[in-house]
Every structure is written in structure tokens, then in C-alpha cells.
Amino acid sequence: MIEIGNLDFHYGPSQALHDITLNIAEREVTAFIGPSGCGKSTLLRCLNRMNDLIDGARISRGAIRIRGVDIHQRDVEVMELRKRVGMVFQKSNPFPKSIYENVVYGLRLQGVRDKTRLDEAVETSLRGAALWDEVKDRLHASGLSLSGGQQQRLCIARTIAIEPEVILMDEPCSALDPIATAKVEELIHQLKLRYTIVIVTHNMQQAARCSDRTAFFYLGKLIEFAPTREIFMTPSNPQTEAYVSGRFG
Amino acid sequence: MSHANHHPFRAKPSLGRTFEAGVFWVLRSTAYIILLCGGFVFGDIVLKGSSTVFRTEFPFVNTTFLTEAPESLYVFEHDGVKREMGDREFRAFRGAEARKAEAAGKPAPEIKATSYVYSAGGIYPCIVGTVLLVVGSMSIALALGVASAIFLNEYARQGRFIRVVRLTILNLAGVPSIVFGLFGMGLFVIFLDWNVSLLAGWFTLALMVLPVVITASEESLKAVPQGFREASLALGATKWQTIRKAVLPFALPGILTSSILGIARVAGETAPIMFTAAFVVRDKLPWQDLERASDFFFQGVMALPYHIYVVSSKIPQNEYTERVQYGTAFVFLLIVAAIATTSIVLRARLRRRYRW
Ligand SMILES: Nc1ncnc2c1ncn2[C@@H]1O[C@H](COP(=O)(O)OP(=O)(O)OP(=O)(O)O)[C@@H](O)[C@H]1O
Ligand SMILES: [Mg+2]
């Protein structure tokens, strides 16, 4: 569904990604792993063009196609792209507004005013993010009154409220305790049925538990990309093997 | 000698220690001297001013002083009693005396009075003028300042040009207010031909506080976490939608509270308005007898700081002017204190509401 072809990416003069070629399949979970600074976030942020915001950041070669459309094509509207390709950030970042307003933020941007539609969207999204039962009695409390894990699930609810096709997650559990992490992982399993998910993680077990395919990056290069089982059981590249067995990185 | 006196941490006299104590006392006395000066200035104004503004009997405030225009004070002796009266009261009194004398068939009594300019009546027009100047100029400054802060912080590509612009703005904050006054006179009063007017004063004062407002707004915008912007953009918002819905609402409390300190400055400056907006005296209140609505903007006003200046240095000094001087200064202090208190309360309340 997402085809990344021979992608080179620069931050000003320094090259962050080297010749990345990668195909992400629909309704699968693809995990990006690799040591810090290897370019996982950079690649992820390319997929919904969040890097456009950074002065001097540019793609110098290659292309990214989503459903066959080059996302840097001139007639592509970035806002439309981002509605289709949602993103959940490492640090949960709910707005200091009510839980309800957080969820409907994206819909309001699209000009949806109809109260019943908004209410419905809130319920389905919060259910979808496995948060409904915990917050249904306090939808108008501040989003910041939730715990860290709940906040992260609120951010996921906010993202699925606009019904994207792809959800990008950049270390969504790095600030969460094991129980909250387990909840989010369970959620990822459910979301997989409807969405294409790309997840960056530093947690090998997490990648092993919840992804279908895993890509291993090192120093801006894609070293190995294979079904998760293979990456962890029978990696073909010695660097991959060293990394997943915890001998470096 | 007991063993306890020989522990290794025992204080020994040394040059370093003496020096340390000396420095401490110098710093401490500096702080006390400043406190003393401040206390003296405020104490003086409060003591002498409150006797003008407050009354011992009901309604406890001097309503004349707060609600009427300045008048000349007439001091005279009549029937062996020494009296002090404002202009209008004096005329009424003289008329009444003349009528009384006429009824009794006597010639009108000659009342020999000494007059003291601006020593009677009140400062209502000055309060009104100051409020109008503050409201207008702060509205202009906020509109322009927030707009440029948004541009500088959210839209502009952070390069050398923007750095130069920022530096210029910072330096503008150090320009003496008299320079702004002269600039305002040159541009608004003379070149644009607005004359000495409310509008010219608004723009001059707005330009003067603009650097403060821009800097404060930029700080507040920077304090809004980057995560809010990214989250909003990732949900498909345009840049402007993001600023409107995910940045400005959370920056606004900071912008407003810091700008309130700008209000104190605008309210207090004399130099920028003395060539552009302030009249020594003006009989009509700004909304009285307007031929066209637009005339409202093209009239001068009286203002508290300028009034203090006028009554302290432009009129003959005597025992009666002091009341007005201190009274005006005291009212002015009260207004500034009220604004500062509002800002502190507002900040505390908004902070509680918008914490992240
Ligand atoms: N805004 C930026 N400007 C310049 N260089 C950047 C920027 N962001 C990242 N880089 C550089 O690009 C490289 C890749 O960074 P990236 O954030 O993609 O790494 P990562 O794999 O996500 O690391 P981590 O696991 O620590 O999150 C790093 O060398 C980093 O220093
Ligand atoms: Mg990263």
C-alpha cells in the first residue's frame, strides 16, 4: 500500500536516510527498529510529510507512493494526505481541552457541526481506542486529567476519529508503564483489522509481539526487512542478529 | 581545652571570611536603601494624596475630586470668615450676595478674592482621558503585536533577516519615550494632519509599547508545546487553523497578562502624549457636543500624567496646588495598582485553567 522507493533524505547538509526501499502492506503492522538516531522517526515523518515543517529538510532522491500516488506530487494537498495518514506521537500530546473536544478536533476542522454525528464519533473512537469505559462518565473533564496511558489512548482515539487509512506511531509506549503498554499493544491488534499501522519502537519484545513485518535500520540505511518471525528467529544479516539479540545498539 | 573545641570544622578567622561578611552587609544595605527610598516616595504620596481623595465623613471619598473638571480656586474673606471656593461655586455665591444686598437696598458687596488656577474641582476629565488612551492604544498594540509575533514565531523562516528584525524590535524598546512623542508628532499630528488628537495619541503610545507586546507574545507562543502544533497538523489542520485552535488559545493568557504590564507604562507616560494627544485643559468631555461621530477620534484629551506635570510645573505654585498634585498622583497610583492586581489575579486564574 505504501511504496518507498530509493529514498534519500537530508536535514540541511547532513543526510539522514540513504536509499531506502520498502513496501508497507495494507492492514498489517510494520515495525521500525534500530538504534537511536538511525532515522526511524525521520522515515515515519516522511510518510505524512511532517518533515515539511522543518527548515532545510528535503527529500533529495526517490519517492513515496501511497496507493500509487506520489505524495510529493504537485497536486497533492498535504492536509488531505494527513487526514488519510494519521500520526500518534511519542510524547502523548492531548490538547488542554475536554476529552470530548480532543476527540472531535479533527472533525471540527472539517466543519462537522452536527451534534449527533460528533457524539457518535466520540463514542466509536473512544471505544476503538479502548478508552470508552474508563471515561464515558467524564467526557467533559480535561484531557490532561487522564493518566499517561489513557492520554496516549486518547491521542489514538483522536487520530481514528478522522478515519485515516494509515496510522503512524512513533514510540507510542515509551512513556508508559507495562500495564498501559499492554493495553496499547492489545489495541494495536484490534486496530490492525481496519488500519494499516507503522510503529517505531525500541522495545524488541513489543516489535516481536505486535508486528507482522519488521524493518531494521542502522545509520540511515535499511539493513533488513522481513516478516517479524524471520527477523527475530533467523535474521539473514549479522548486524540485525547482533541488534535483536541485544549485543549492540 | 575540651576535645569538642578541636573538631576540624571549627571556624577560623580569615581574610576571606571578613570579606564575605563585608559583601553581605553592602548588599543588604543597598537593598534596604532602595526599600527606604521607595517607601518614602509611596508613603509621601499616599499620606498627602489620601487627604485630598478621602473624607472623614460620608461618603468618605471626595466625589468632587473624582467626578468634576479642574477649576480655579478662589480664596477670600467675607463677613470675617475665610472661605475657599471653586469657580462655579464662587460665582453663584457672589450672585447670591449681590441679590441679597439688592433686596436690602445696599450696593453689591465687593468681594476681593485671590484666584489659584486648577486648585479646585477635580480630575474627572483626566481619568476619562487616561482610560481612553489606554484602551485605544492597547487595542492597537495588541492587534499589531500579536499579529507580528505570530508571523515571527510561526510563519517566518528563522534566518538572519528575522534575527535582525527581532534585534531591531528589542532595541526599539529602549528608545526614550520623548523620541516616540516627537515621532508621533511628526508623523501623525503634522504629516497625516490628525492634529493633537486621541487617534494620534493612540498610535504613538501603541508604537511605544509594541516592542513589549511583541516580545511578550513571542514568549507566550514559544511556551506553547510544539506537540500541540504537530498534533493539530497531523489531524489535517492548515497552519492557520492550527494557530487559531491549538496555539493562540493557550498563548492568550500569557499574552494578556504580560501586556497588562504594558498598560501601566501606557497609562504613565507623559512625553509621548504631550505633543500628540494631551490638552492642558478641556471643558468638554470627549463624548460631549460631537458634530460627527468621527470627531471623537480627532480631539485632544486631558490625561493624568500630563495633568500632574502641568499642575506641578506649569502653574504658579502655592499652598493650594499641592493638594491637586498629590491627589492626582495618588489616584494615578491607585489606578496602576488596580491594573497590576488585576493582572496578577488574572494570571493566577488562567494558569490554573491552562496547565499542561
Ligand atoms: N530536525 C532535525 N534537524 C537536523 N537533524 C535532525 C533533525 N531530526 C533528526 N535529525 C538527525 O537525523 C538523524 C535521524 O534522526 P531520527 O530522529 O530519525 O532518529 P530515530 O531513529 O528516530 O532515533 P530515536 O530512536 O532516538 O528516536 C539523527 O542523526 C538526527 O540527529
Ligand atoms: Mg525517534
Side-chain angles (χ1 to χ4, degrees):
Chain A
M1 169 182 193
I2 304 177
E3 297 151 32
I4 304 165
N6 303 100
L7 192 76
D8 282 356
F9 184 89
H10 288 260
Y11 284 116
S14 72
Q15 188 164 2
L17 294 176
H18 300 264
D19 196 25
I20 307 282
T21 301
L22 186 72
N23 286 342
I24 293 167
E26 191 161 4
R27 294 190 196 184
E28 273 192 8
V29 179
T30 305
F32 288 179
I33 61 171
S36 216
C38 67
K40 306 179 296 292
S41 301
T42 304
L43 181 59
L44 198 71
R45 291 164 60 92
C46 281
L47 301 183
N48 67 346
R49 287 181 59 181
M50 284 303 272
N51 285 328
D52 288 11
L53 308 173
I54 298 170
D55 285 345
R58 66 181 200 286
I59 287 175
S60 46
R61 193 168 68 96
I64 298 170
R65 295 172 182 282
I66 295 184
R67 293 200 188 286
V69 180
D70 182 343
I71 61 169
H72 289 89
Q73 216 164 287
R74 190 166 283 208
D75 62 353
V76 166
E77 174 93 73
V78 188
M79 274 70 76
E80 286 304 319
L81 171 70
R82 292 186 188 140
K83 279 181 207 159
R84 298 291 182 85
V85 184
M87 189 163 207
V88 176
F89 297 82
Q90 172 172 6
K91 199 166 163 287
S92 64
N93 52 3
F95 301 114
K97 305 179 184 220
S98 68
I99 294 170
Y100 186 97
E101 283 303 322
N102 263 288
V103 179
V104 300
Y105 186 90
L107 292 173
R108 284 207 197 276
L109 287 178
Q110 296 170 20
V112 178
R113 293 251 176 74
D114 181 17
K115 181 90 172 63
T116 46
R117 227 188 111 192
L118 293 177
D119 289 346
E120 271 167 29
V122 169
E123 180 164 349
T124 39
S125 316
L126 286 172
R127 277 190 197 285
L131 191 59
W132 175 252
D133 291 327
E134 290 159 66
V135 301
K136 63 170 183 268
D137 302 320
R138 48 178 179 137
L139 290 177
H140 295 282
S142 166
L144 297 176
S145 65
L146 301 175
S147 73
Q150 289 173 327
Q151 287 190 13
Q152 194 59 294
R153 278 180 283 148
L154 177 60
C155 293
I156 294 175
R158 184 172 68 182
T159 305
I160 59 184
I162 54 171
E163 296 175 350
E165 296 173 44
V166 182
I167 303 179
L168 309 174
M169 300 185 175
D170 195 349
E171 302 182 43
C173 302
S174 65
L176 304 185
D177 69 49
I179 296 174
T181 302
K183 280 202 175 144
V184 174
E185 285 181 12
E186 209 182 292
L187 178 58
I188 290 173
H189 273 294
Q190 289 168 22
L191 293 176
K192 187 170 98 169
L193 303 175
R194 299 185 50 198
Y195 305 96
T196 304
I197 296 176
V198 184
I199 179 170
V200 171
T201 177
H202 276 288
N203 181 330
M204 293 303 131
Q205 286 85 16
Q206 182 169 61
R209 275 194 303 264
C210 57
S211 72
D212 301 302
R213 279 167 212 273
T214 299
F216 171 62
F217 295 86
Y218 185 57
L219 296 179
K221 298 194 180 71
L222 176 64
I223 304 296
E224 190 167 350
F225 178 52
T228 301
R229 257 189 106 69
E230 274 174 41
I231 290 271
F232 284 93
M233 300 300 189
T234 54
S236 58
N237 187 298
Q239 276 177 322
T240 315
E241 210 233 311
Y243 185 73
V244 298
S245 61
R247 272 185 282 124
F248 92 97
Chain B
M1 237 182 245
S2 79
H3 179 72
N5 281 345
H6 279 276
H7 64 83
F9 310 118
R10 210 161 62 97
K12 295 181 212 64
S14 74
L15 198 63
R17 278 174 58 85
T18 323
F19 190 70
E20 172 75 24
V23 167
F24 174 71
W25 275 104
V26 168
L27 296 179
R28 173 178 255 196
S29 43
T30 317
Y32 286 168
I33 288 170
I34 292 169
L35 196 68
L36 208 68
C37 296
F40 181 74
V41 171
F42 284 114
D44 191 43
I45 292 175
V46 170
L47 273 181
K48 296 195 181 148
S50 52
S51 69
T52 311
V53 176
F54 296 118
R55 285 278 173 272
T56 44
E57 71 271 15
F58 189 79
F60 303 111
V61 287
N62 185 347
T63 43
T64 315
F65 190 66
L66 294 180
T67 58
E68 277 177 24
E71 287 180 329
S72 293
L73 178 74
Y74 289 86
V75 180
F76 57 93
E77 254 190 60
H78 188 69
D79 294 340
V81 191
K82 192 173 178 207
R83 290 169 189 260
E84 296 170 12
M85 277 181 195
D87 191 25
R88 273 173 300 158
E89 201 187 351
F90 176 64
R91 274 182 226 186
F93 178 80
R94 203 166 48 183
E97 286 298 307
R99 258 175 274 122
K100 236 196 290 177
E102 202 178 358
K106 281 188 274 181
E110 197 177 324
I111 302 176
K112 266 226 164 77
T114 339
S115 74
Y116 301 99
V117 70
Y118 299 151
S119 297
I123 53 168
Y124 183 57
C126 308
I127 299 177
V128 167
T130 291
V131 168
L132 283 178
L133 282 172
V134 166
V135 170
S137 58
M138 281 316 283
S139 312
I140 294 171
L142 275 176
L144 293 179
V146 172
S148 34
I150 288 178
F151 172 73
L152 288 176
N153 200 51
E154 309 286 330
Y155 280 99
R157 211 187 155 98
Q158 307 297 320
R160 185 184 302 162
F161 176 68
I162 291 300
R163 274 213 301 283
V164 171
V165 170
R166 272 210 189 93
L167 202 67
T168 315
I169 290 172
L170 279 180
N171 280 323
L172 217 53
V175 172
S177 53
I178 184 77
V179 176
F180 278 103
L182 291 170
F183 172 78
M185 180 172 79
L187 178 60
F188 303 122
V189 177
I190 297 170
F191 182 71
L192 293 180
D193 202 17
W194 291 351
N195 290 324
V196 172
S197 63
L198 208 46
L199 203 60
W202 281 350
F203 275 93
T204 310
L205 287 171
L207 284 183
M208 188 190 72
V209 285
L210 207 49
V212 179
V213 174
I214 293 178
T215 315
S217 308
E218 264 210 274
E219 289 307 315
S220 310
L221 288 173
K222 283 208 180 79
V224 175
Q226 197 60 26
F228 294 179
R229 296 183 181 85
E230 291 193 332
S232 172
L233 291 168
L235 289 167
T238 61
K239 202 146 190 174
W240 175 242
Q241 283 174 324
T242 300
I243 292 168
R244 264 278 327 280
K245 303 185 100 189
V247 178
L248 260 193
F250 311 124
L252 218 50
I255 294 175
L256 289 181
T257 45
S258 329
S259 301
I260 285 174
L261 296 176
I263 292 183
R265 174 126 195 254
V266 167
E269 281 291 355
T270 318
I273 54 171
M274 82 184 175
F275 307 124
T276 57
F279 278 180
V280 175
V281 66
R282 192 171 144 75
D283 304 327
K284 281 178 281 188
L285 288 168
W287 49 83
Q288 282 172 343
D289 296 334
L290 293 177
E291 272 174 34
R292 279 164 301 158
S294 65
D295 285 348
F296 179 80
F297 301 103
F298 294 102
Q299 59 178 335
V301 289
M302 296 178 73
L304 284 171
Y306 191 58
H307 192 63
I308 297 177
Y309 167 69
V310 169
V311 295
S312 323
S313 63
K314 286 282 168 195
I315 59 171
Q317 299 295 298
N318 54 64
E319 63 211 282
Y320 299 103
T321 42
E322 194 181 276
R323 289 200 308 224
V324 186
Q325 290 160 10
Y326 277 98
T328 314
F330 181 56
V331 168
F332 181 64
L333 273 190
L334 283 185
I335 290 178
V336 171
I339 291 171
T341 316
T342 319
S343 96
I344 292 166
V345 172
L346 200 70
R347 177 158 35 196
R349 282 191 30 189
L350 289 174
R351 253 203 208 141
R352 228 176 302 138
R353 219 174 106 198
Y354 289 105
R355 232 185 351 206
W356 55 78

